[in-house]
Amino acid sequence: MKIFVYHTPELTPTDEAPECAIAVDVLRATSTMATVLAAGGEAVQVFSDLDQLVEVSEKWPSEKRLRAGERGGAKVAGFELGNSPLDCTAELVQGRRLFISTTNGTRALKRIQNAPIVLAAALINRAAVVKFLLEKQPETVWIVGSGWEGSFSLEDTVCAGAIAHSICQQTNSSLEDLTGNDEVTSAIALYSQWQNDLLGLFYQASHGKRLLRLECLEDLKYCSQTDILDILPIQQEPGVLKSHNK
């Protein structure tokens, strides 16, 4: 297995696809997706475009759908949800499909949707992602951070590092065996330094600061936890993710 980390969707090679691609948007899209599926949501369908989201979701009965829209960290007017995983309670999402469009995370998923295996990862479901990778042993793995509007983000890179670090430890692999590019080594180094204070790292992150200004501290606390959900969002058809084995 060779792991490649890309800090933003724009940095991924355009002329090739990996066997397995993993989208990461810790703050907060992929954290929200994992939470929705863990709470009994039927599926998560992602859109880059808000108008397209509305058009497609209109075809679903209103009691079977939820619309989540976020731009710049704030909820889009007219949508039931923004991008907070804490709003995704079992009472609300049970049996429903979440139609979601966010500033960064849905763009990452769109970029990698043609890979044979597409997963959504966050810190909260890191162990489930690692378990899948160790079972399936894909030859090439891309971990694609969403970043923030095309630039590097600490929270997505530390999550990529958390995944790679765990695989390293569980397989007793050397860095040389595992790393496909330099970004993997830097991501592991970031995780190694901050693994005991991930919330502290979020306070340093530009998007963490943005969310704090929007009074989303509880979201930061929730998203900074590791391995709390045994759930793996996996793409069933382009743009549609369901819980693995369901």
Side-chain angles (χ1 to χ4, degrees), residues 92-152:
L92 184 64
V93 306
Q94 186 83 38
R96 288 174 147 186
R97 176 168 293 207
L98 184 77
F99 296 86
I100 185 170
S101 180
T102 71
T103 309
N104 304 294
T106 47
R107 203 171 71 241
L109 277 159
K110 284 285 179 192
R111 169 64 194 89
I112 61 174
Q113 68 181 17
N114 294 326
I117 302 168
V118 176
L119 311 174
L123 288 164
I124 56 175
N125 72 327
R126 188 264 310 253
V129 173
V130 170
K131 181 169 176 266
F132 177 89
L133 292 174
L134 294 177
E135 282 171 5
K136 295 288 182 193
Q137 290 290 325
E139 205 167 302
T140 51
V141 179
W142 290 4
I143 307 176
V144 182
S146 300
W148 178 260
E149 296 182 346
S151 59
F152 175 95

Side-chain angles (χ1 to χ4, degrees), residues 1-3 168 171-180:
M1 190 191 313
K2 280 283 184 195
I3 299 175
C168 253
T171 58
N172 289 320
S173 301
S174 70
L175 268 180
E176 196 176 350
D177 292 339
L178 208 60
T179 54

Side-chain angles (χ1 to χ4, degrees), residues 200-218:
L201 180 67
F202 288 7
Y203 272 95
Q204 303 298 323
S206 58
H207 193 41
K209 291 173 182 173
R210 193 176 290 109
L211 290 172
L212 286 170
R213 288 196 294 274
L214 292 165
E215 299 184 350
C216 296
L217 172 60
E218 294 307 314

